[in-house]
Amino acid sequence: GTDNGWPNVEMRWELDLGPESKGQRPIMFAVGGLIGETRAIDFVGRDFTGIPEANVSTTWAVIPELRVQLGDIGIQGEVFVGEALGTYNAGIGQSLNPMTGEPIYTTGGFGELFYNIFEDVTVAVGYGIDNPRDADLASDQRSRNEAYWANAIWRWSEHWETRIEVSRQKTDYIAPSLSNKAMLYHFLVRFNF
């Protein structure tokens, strides 16, 4: 797409409940959303003035999220629903059907269970899915993406942390011969300033 002359409008409302400990409360509920426009240009088809035809679609999303931590164990996650969300990495990075220029409706989310083994070490397991509506997709587009993961985070100083993650990802396409699976192994050392 191309610029429509105004940005997407985004917002997020958060409610934190319970007694504060280490700058965080045990329950957090939030709702986010966005609205804007995505433009598809058809350089082959032209209107009567000779200008390429443009199809403007509404980009929108609603995103509730929840985090609950009781002592050292907790859960967190979010779900989303919307259209033309490829620039937000939803819809498996796809906003529009390239054949029709129409927006792709998608749903998805993630959930994660985490446990603080020590004050500076956290482990977690999780699952995420992104599932565009098949009827909105062209034959070579991605139709479903799933990921399972396990990770560990060690915050070894105020500024340094190490992360290790193993994940399994599976991506399906409308054309079944293109579907694939992968195991990913990540190691990260991060300096926060």
Side-chain angles (χ1 to χ4, degrees):
T2 60
D3 184 11
N4 280 342
W6 64 281
N8 288 351
V9 177
E10 303 174 27
M11 67 116 205
R12 183 174 181 272
W13 174 81
E14 181 178 315
L15 175 64
D16 296 306
L17 301 170
E20 188 172 332
S21 173
K22 298 177 188 172
Q24 185 172 309
R25 296 183 188 267
I27 300 171
M28 182 277 297
F29 173 73
V31 177
L34 67 99
I35 190 161
E37 291 182 334
T38 300
R39 179 187 304 263
I41 303 291
D42 181 356
F43 290 101
V44 176
R46 297 184 181 265
D47 65 14
F48 68 93
T49 64
I51 298 173
E53 291 185 11
N55 180 22
V56 177
S57 302
T58 300
T59 297
W60 66 271
V62 177
I63 310 148
E65 54 185 292
L66 176 69
R67 177 184 170 95
V68 177
Q69 184 169 355
L70 303 172
D72 291 330
I73 193 164
I75 60 168
Q76 63 184 357
E78 72 177 33
V79 295
F80 62 86
V81 60
E83 279 189 335
L85 298 175
T87 56
Y88 294 90
N89 288 327
I92 319 173
Q94 307 164 120
S95 288
L96 305 172
N97 180 317
M99 303 304 291
T100 65
E102 294 298 317
I104 296 170
Y105 176 87
T106 190
T107 60
F110 81 92
E112 183 175 70
L113 173 67
F114 61 91
Y115 179 65
N116 296 321
I117 298 175
F118 304 108
E119 187 174 330
D120 55 353
V121 177
T122 303
V123 294
V125 294
Y127 169 77
I129 186 168
D130 194 350
N131 191 16
R133 183 168 45 202
D134 290 357
D136 293 350
L137 302 172
S139 62
D140 62 344
Q141 287 190 285
R142 296 175 297 278
S143 61
R144 183 182 180 100
N145 193 55
E146 293 180 274
Y148 303 87
W149 64 85
N151 61 40
I153 303 169
W154 176 29
R155 292 168 292 279
W156 39 289
S157 79
E158 180 183 351
H159 299 288
W160 290 94
E161 73 179 32
T162 301
R163 294 177 177 229
I164 299 169
E165 181 171 287
V166 176
S167 62
R168 180 183 184 277
Q169 295 186 358
K170 181 179 184 228
T171 302
D172 293 330
Y173 288 72
I174 292 294
S177 62
L178 299 176
S179 297
N180 60 57
K181 300 175 188 172
M183 288 294 296
L184 302 172
Y185 306 90
H186 300 279
F187 177 77
L188 169 79
V189 175
R190 183 165 77 174
F191 176 71
N192 299 307
F193 58 93

